[in-house]
Amino acid sequence: GVATLAVLRPSPIPEHVYAPLQAWARETSQREPAARVLASDIGAIGWAWNGVVLDSEGLTWPAALDFGHPNAIVRAYEPEYLLVVAERERVAPVYGDPYMLEHYAPIARFAPDRSSELQPPLESLPPAWVQDYLVYRRKR
C-alpha cells in the first residue's frame, strides 16, 4: 500500500493574530484606562483589555441586542475603539455609514497572513467569520 504522510503545521492564528492583538489591548488599555472598546468578538480581546468591553453581539452585554445594529451602539456610546471582525458583513456597515467614516479611523489590523491593509476592499474580505480583526479609533 501507499502511505500518505500529512505534515501538520501550527496555525498562524495564535502568533499572528491573538498575541499581537492582546499585546495591543493590554498596552492601550493601560495607557488609556477610561477607554472603551466595542468588540464583535469579545473572545479575541479576552482578558487582555483592562477596562470596559462592550459586546456588540450581546453575549456578555444583553443591552446590545436592544440596538438592532452595532452602528447604533457606536452612536449611543461613542466608544474610543472598535474591534471589527474583518468579514464583509461586519465591515460593510462601517464603510457604508458616513457617521462611522467621519468619526472613526482604522489604526490596526491583526490578520493570519499579517496583512496590514487597514481599508481592505469589501470584495477581498470573506463572507463568513474569520480570525482577522480591524481596529478603529474614534477621532478626536
Side-chain angles (χ1 to χ4, degrees), residues 16-73:
H16 297 175
V17 178
Y18 292 130
L21 171 58
Q22 291 174 3
W24 171 84
R26 277 189 294 279
E27 176 186 314
T28 302
S29 60
Q30 286 172 359
R31 186 178 64 248
E32 301 175 51
R36 297 153 302 152
V37 61
L38 177 68
S40 60
D41 181 358
I42 60 167
I45 204 163
W47 299 103
W49 187 266
N50 185 25
V52 176
V53 177
L54 303 170
D55 169 22
S56 67
E57 303 305 300
L59 300 172
T60 61
W61 185 49
L65 302 176
D66 296 337
F67 288 91
H69 197 277
N71 288 18
I73 299 170

Side-chain angles (χ1 to χ4, degrees), residues 85-88 91-92 95 109 120-128 132 134:
V85 175
E87 69 173 84
R88 256 179 255 150
V91 175
Y95 287 4
R109 185 168 183 189
L122 278 181
E123 59 276 5
S124 75
L125 297 175
D132 185 346
L134 290 164

Side-chain angles (χ1 to χ4, degrees), residues 35-38 54 71-82 99 103-104 137-138:
R36 297 153 302 152
V37 61
L38 177 68
L54 303 170
N71 288 18
I73 299 170
V74 171
R75 281 181 173 78
Y77 284 86
E78 298 180 328
E80 287 71 25
Y81 294 95
L82 310 175
Y99 176 90
H103 291 91
Y104 288 87
R137 171 95 171 85
R138 191 176 74 210

Side-chain angles (χ1 to χ4, degrees), residues 75-130:
R75 281 181 173 78
Y77 284 86
E78 298 180 328
E80 287 71 25
Y81 294 95
L82 310 175
L83 176 67
V84 180
V85 175
E87 69 173 84
R88 256 179 255 150
E89 179 182 316
R90 294 180 194 279
V91 175
V94 175
Y95 287 4
D97 185 334
Y99 176 90
M100 299 292 279
L101 298 174
E102 180 182 340
H103 291 91
Y104 288 87
I107 60 164
R109 185 168 183 189
F110 302 97
D113 65 359
R114 293 186 172 169
S115 172
S116 60
E117 174 61 54
L118 296 180
Q119 295 179 309
L122 278 181
E123 59 276 5
S124 75
L125 297 175
W129 183 84
V130 291

